[in-house]
Amino acid sequence: MSLLITNIGELTTNDPELGVLRDAAIVVGERVEWVGPAAAAPAADERVDVRGAAVLPGFVDSHSHLVFAGDRAPEFAARMAGEPYTGGGIRTTVAATRAATDDQLRANVARLVGEALRQGTTTIEIKSGYGLSTLDEARSVRIAREFTDEVTFLGAHVKPADSPDGYVDLVTGPMLDACAEYAGWVDVFCERGAFDVAESRRVLKAGIAAGLRPRIHANQLTMGGGVQLAVELDCASADHCTHLSDADVDALAHSDTVATLLPGAEFSTRAPYPDARRLLAAGVTVALASDCNPGSSYTSSMPFCIALAVRDMGMTPTEAVWAATAGGARALRRPDLGHLAPGASADLIVLDAPSHLHLAYRPGVPLIASVARKGTFHSLCVEEGHLLNASGPHHPESPHKGVLS
Ligand SMILES: [Zn+2]
């Protein structure tokens, strides 16, 4: 089955040749088959008229922590009343996660994946890291794998309060062995109070030896050595990058490591934002992601992150949208995602707006009219006049059934 989406007012392709097209159309199956002017569009099995709306690639959220139980709203409120964020609250979530059943964890992931999808996220990376025991980490990656192909083993999130000694031995030994078959990535929270650079190097190298690819939480709270380690080990991404030296910026600029910025964390901890402008000026590839987690960034909204990046991190609206789509795809080393050229995965968003600029220009407004994954629309709205009710059924699925890959 092929689907022609036509009368697109503005089509953001993220393709260097195609650029941004006006009065455009796109033909999709599971992959993009054709892109060009609406007047020249070929016939297809089905046709959707989006009446001048903007279309862009689906968001690629390359950093989330969705396998957990409970929430930490009181901690957030206390922080907003003046208490600093230390990262120690992670252990609150660990206790709740360990006490939860598999079905409770699964239901929470499904809820958040559905929430993200309705806000335009068509690919989401999901980390473990609230189990911190071999059993609980293994079930975390196993449950995450039910929802996405991009699963990250983050046993090295924080050292468990009950058994900090020898924890790196556990993470790089039996825990890794139990988790590796469900995960594609290995990650570590390289930070004062979590894992130092030497420990982080051990964790990532053990993961690499087990066939996983490395990524890292680096330079979030302090100017540590995480970014340099990321470049040393060719991590796909160094995430946070809030406190960077000139040498860190230079190292990123001369590497294949993406700097993934997570402004939801700075928002939720009332911390200074990373300087995206400085990174872009140096030639670093920048991605935006949600960092969705119950402690330091409980948002699944990529449009919210785009708005923050534009308002507070020096990005233009166009740069921020690129970072949330193509940037995220690079942070996951997925050349099939984040753009809408022929051959790419047909993951796209129809906006209830004439331009991608509106994502930052109209913050907090639900502009995501419809989302397609691999060419299949997930109907978001059945009200009369909805953009996608124009020409019949388009295989609507429940967003809650969505398995993002
Ligand atoms: Zn994180």
Side-chain angles (χ1 to χ4, degrees), residues 67 97-98 100 102 105 128 130-143 153 167 170 174-176 178-179 182:
V67 189
T97 303
R98 286 177 174 176
D102 287 10
L105 294 177
S128 68
Y130 293 117
L132 307 188
S133 70
T134 297
L135 199 71
D136 288 301
E137 285 297 308
R139 72 171 178 151
S140 294
V141 289
R142 182 164 43 78
I143 289 169
F153 168 52
Y167 187 65
L170 179 66
M175 191 186 285
L176 174 62
C179 292
Y182 302 104

Side-chain angles (χ1 to χ4, degrees), residues 160-179:
D162 49 1
S163 56
D165 296 334
Y167 187 65
V168 175
D169 294 335
L170 179 66
V171 169
T172 58
M175 191 186 285
L176 174 62
D177 292 342
C179 292

Side-chain angles (χ1 to χ4, degrees), residues 295-375:
S296 59
S297 182
Y298 202 9
T299 181
S300 56
S301 173
M302 292 294 278
F304 175 66
C305 296
I306 288 169
L308 291 181
V310 171
R311 170 62 179 77
D312 289 311
M313 290 158 49
M315 299 184 90
T316 68
T318 299
E319 287 168 342
V321 167
W322 190 93
T325 52
R330 292 194 189 190
L332 292 173
R333 298 201 169 162
R334 288 286 301 269
D336 57 326
L337 304 177
H339 62 107
L340 293 174
S345 187
D347 301 345
L348 58 88
I349 297 167
V350 181
L351 288 186
D352 189 5
S355 168
H356 70 281
L357 300 175
H358 284 230
L359 286 163
Y361 173 46
R362 306 198 64 214
V365 178
L367 297 180
I368 310 299
S370 271
V371 182
R373 288 189 58 254
K374 295 182 181 172

Side-chain angles (χ1 to χ4, degrees), residues 23-384:
D23 302 319
I26 183 168
V27 177
V28 299
E30 286 201 0
R31 293 185 174 270
V32 176
E33 294 172 1
W34 182 90
V35 176
D45 299 324
E46 288 190 273
R47 181 176 183 280
V48 178
D49 182 338
V50 297
R51 303 177 191 170
V55 170
L56 64 152
F59 298 127
V60 180
D61 185 351
S62 61
H63 186 137
S64 84
H65 306 250
L66 302 189
V67 189
F68 64 87
D71 75 35
R72 280 150 57 193
E75 179 188 308
F76 174 75
R79 200 160 59 237
M80 292 304 105
E83 290 180 22
Y85 176 66
T86 61
I90 289 173
R91 295 189 179 95
T92 309
T93 301
V94 171
T97 303
R98 286 177 174 176
T101 66
D102 287 10
D103 280 345
Q104 287 169 330
L105 294 177
R106 191 175 283 121
N108 205 35
V109 177
R111 177 179 68 84
L112 293 166
V113 166
E115 191 179 276
L117 180 64
R118 291 193 296 278
Q119 296 171 93
T121 298
T122 49
T123 301
I124 192 163
E125 179 263 19
I126 303 176
K127 302 176 196 298
S128 68
Y130 293 117
L132 307 188
S133 70
T134 297
L135 199 71
D136 288 301
E137 285 297 308
R139 72 171 178 151
S140 294
V141 289
R142 182 164 43 78
I143 289 169
R145 189 66 187 80
E146 295 172 18
F147 294 88
T148 183
D149 291 339
E150 303 296 342
V151 174
T152 298
F153 168 52
L154 180 61
H157 195 185
V158 68
K159 292 173 187 169
D162 49 1
S163 56
D165 296 334
Y167 187 65
V168 175
D169 294 335
L170 179 66
V171 169
T172 58
M175 191 186 285
L176 174 62
D177 292 342
C179 292
E181 74 172 286
Y182 302 104
W185 300 97
V186 60
D187 194 348
V188 57
F189 188 18
C190 182
E191 189 60 63
R192 195 168 61 198
F195 297 85
D196 66 24
V197 171
E199 292 171 326
S200 298
R201 184 183 286 107
R202 270 188 72 197
V203 168
L204 295 181
K205 282 192 156 182
I208 293 166
L212 306 184
R213 293 181 294 170
R215 49 202 314 106
I216 186 169
H217 284 66
N219 299 52
Q220 177 186 4
L221 306 175
T222 57
M223 205 181 285
V227 162
Q228 297 293 339
L229 180 62
V231 171
E232 173 192 323
L233 296 180
D234 186 32
C235 286
S237 179
D239 294 36
H240 285 290
C241 293
T242 308
H243 298 275
L244 299 179
S245 68
D246 288 345
D248 292 333
V249 175
D250 192 58
L252 287 168
H254 294 93
S255 75
D256 292 327
T257 300
V258 173
T260 298
L261 309 183
L262 309 167
E266 280 77 29
F267 177 89
S268 299
T269 59
R270 201 175 270 156
Y273 288 95
D275 186 349
R277 190 80 258 138
R278 179 185 179 205
L279 290 163
L280 291 167
V284 176
T285 301
V286 173
L288 288 171
S290 72
D291 194 18
C292 185
N293 78 82
S296 59
S297 182
Y298 202 9
T299 181
S300 56
S301 173
M302 292 294 278
F304 175 66
C305 296
I306 288 169
L308 291 181
V310 171
R311 170 62 179 77
D312 289 311
M313 290 158 49
M315 299 184 90
T316 68
T318 299
E319 287 168 342
V321 167
W322 190 93
T325 52
R330 292 194 189 190
L332 292 173
R333 298 201 169 162
R334 288 286 301 269
D336 57 326
L337 304 177
H339 62 107
L340 293 174
S345 187
D347 301 345
L348 58 88
I349 297 167
V350 181
L351 288 186
D352 189 5
S355 168
H356 70 281
L357 300 175
H358 284 230
L359 286 163
Y361 173 46
R362 306 198 64 214
V365 178
L367 297 180
I368 310 299
S370 271
V371 182
R373 288 189 58 254
K374 295 182 181 172
T376 299
F377 273 99
H378 297 253
S379 282
L380 306 174
C381 176
V382 293
E383 290 168 22
E384 192 179 352

